[in-house]
Amino acid sequence: MKVEKIRCSWCLKFDQYIKYHDEEWGVPVHDDQTHFEFLILEGAQAGLSWSTILKKREGYKKVFENFDPNKVSKFTDKKIESILLNPAIVRNRLKVNAAVNNAKRFLEIQKEFGSFDIYIWSFVNHKPIINHRKSLKEIPATTKESDALSKDLIKRGFKFVGSTVMYAHMQACGLVNDHVEDCYRYKEVSSLSQTLTKK
């Protein structure tokens, strides 16, 4: 008899959620292009469900040049107008404009710190925060770390980077491990956090 794996309950709504939960969510990211991808996706999600964005992820990948901040930073007004006609993404002018603006700000951080990765991980002292959540009810929408990150990004001119959005980014990119303790991925991600953390 096959024993079903215990997972965080939020991911059980549809198969794409489960795949994302099992393979990506909470795994420490040290790749700038992936960080930029999640900045775009999390910003696009504001006010919507994550499932909506996951379903359009491939569309975003094509529209936003494989999440290359150099290319996105050069998007012209004409290019933005064409993007806003594309049903493969959420056609919200403020969010699309924010993505182009954030690409420019992203490049500025890379120039200042050497990489966006070095910058963002400094908000958790360069190692993942491994939480001990018993249930989804214990997971906050924001933390002091996401508050600080959000405040600094806003000061640098980023858009759609409120503390809630940035805490979602921190969860997705493994700066925090918010899998509940009885989820089978909790220990796996915790051990990954030790091996993938940069010295």
Side-chain angles (χ1 to χ4, degrees), residues 6-39:
I6 297 173
R7 293 177 169 90
C8 299
S9 59
W10 63 261
C11 79
L12 302 177
K13 297 173 186 176
F14 70 107
D15 289 346
Q16 206 169 3
Y17 254 6
I18 293 173
K19 180 177 169 59
Y20 170 69
H21 168 275
D22 288 3
E23 296 177 8
E24 291 185 77
W25 196 69
V27 175
V29 167
H30 288 296
D31 172 70
D32 273 16
Q33 208 149 322
T34 305
H35 279 301
F36 184 62
E37 173 181 0
F38 277 99
L39 276 177

Side-chain angles (χ1 to χ4, degrees), residues 8 10 21 24-28 121 124 127-136 138-140 143 167-194 197:
C8 299
W10 63 261
H21 168 275
E24 291 185 77
W25 196 69
V27 175
W121 278 89
V124 292
K127 70 176 190 177
I129 296 171
I130 299 174
N131 292 312
H132 302 280
R133 316 292 192 193
K134 301 296 185 188
S135 71
L136 291 186
E138 294 180 13
I139 301 176
T143 62
Y167 193 59
H169 184 106
M170 292 170 75
Q171 291 172 312
C173 294
L175 283 82
V176 299
N177 179 358
D178 264 348
H179 286 277
V180 294
E181 284 189 308
D182 64 355
C183 172
Y184 89 97
R185 283 292 283 165
Y186 178 77
K187 287 184 178 178
E188 290 184 359
V189 168
S190 295
S191 63
L192 276 174
S193 297
Q194 305 304 319
T197 301

Side-chain angles (χ1 to χ4, degrees), residues 6-199:
I6 297 173
R7 293 177 169 90
C8 299
S9 59
W10 63 261
C11 79
L12 302 177
K13 297 173 186 176
F14 70 107
D15 289 346
Q16 206 169 3
Y17 254 6
I18 293 173
K19 180 177 169 59
Y20 170 69
H21 168 275
D22 288 3
E23 296 177 8
E24 291 185 77
W25 196 69
V27 175
V29 167
H30 288 296
D31 172 70
D32 273 16
Q33 208 149 322
T34 305
H35 279 301
F36 184 62
E37 173 181 0
F38 277 99
L39 276 177
I40 289 182
L41 296 179
E42 299 286 2
Q45 190 226 340
L48 302 170
S49 70
W50 185 235
S51 60
T52 298
I53 304 305
L54 273 185
K55 288 172 185 174
K56 292 180 178 287
R57 190 175 187 179
E58 279 304 309
Y60 273 93
K61 186 176 181 178
K62 290 176 184 174
V63 168
F64 286 98
E65 303 285 354
N66 199 29
F67 303 110
D68 183 332
N70 284 289
K71 292 180 179 178
V72 176
S73 71
K74 295 180 175 71
F75 281 7
T76 62
D77 289 344
K78 185 178 179 182
K79 174 79 168 176
I80 290 169
E81 291 304 319
S82 71
I83 287 171
L84 289 168
L85 298 174
N86 193 330
I89 66 159
V90 175
R91 291 175 285 180
N92 179 300
R93 184 178 296 275
L94 289 176
K95 291 177 179 179
V96 172
N97 283 335
V100 178
N101 168 77
N102 290 353
K104 296 172 184 176
R105 307 290 82 80
F106 192 93
L107 296 177
E108 290 168 359
I109 285 180
Q110 285 183 323
K111 188 174 181 180
E112 181 179 347
F113 290 87
S115 71
F116 186 84
D117 185 67
I118 291 171
Y119 164 78
I120 196 169
W121 278 89
S122 70
F123 288 88
V124 292
N125 294 318
H126 301 284
K127 70 176 190 177
I129 296 171
I130 299 174
N131 292 312
H132 302 280
R133 316 292 192 193
K134 301 296 185 188
S135 71
L136 291 186
K137 293 177 183 178
E138 294 180 13
I139 301 176
T142 63
T143 62
K144 69 180 191 299
E145 291 84 7
S146 68
D147 289 347
L149 173 57
S150 170
K151 185 177 179 180
D152 195 70
L153 287 169
I154 290 168
K155 186 174 75 176
R156 292 172 180 275
F158 282 75
K159 308 291 184 187
F160 284 93
V161 289
S163 189
T164 302
V165 171
M166 293 321 299
Y167 193 59
H169 184 106
M170 292 170 75
Q171 291 172 312
C173 294
L175 283 82
V176 299
N177 179 358
D178 264 348
H179 286 277
V180 294
E181 284 189 308
D182 64 355
C183 172
Y184 89 97
R185 283 292 283 165
Y186 178 77
K187 287 184 178 178
E188 290 184 359
V189 168
S190 295
S191 63
L192 276 174
S193 297
Q194 305 304 319
T195 57
L196 293 180
T197 301
K198 288 189 171 177
K199 300 291 187 282

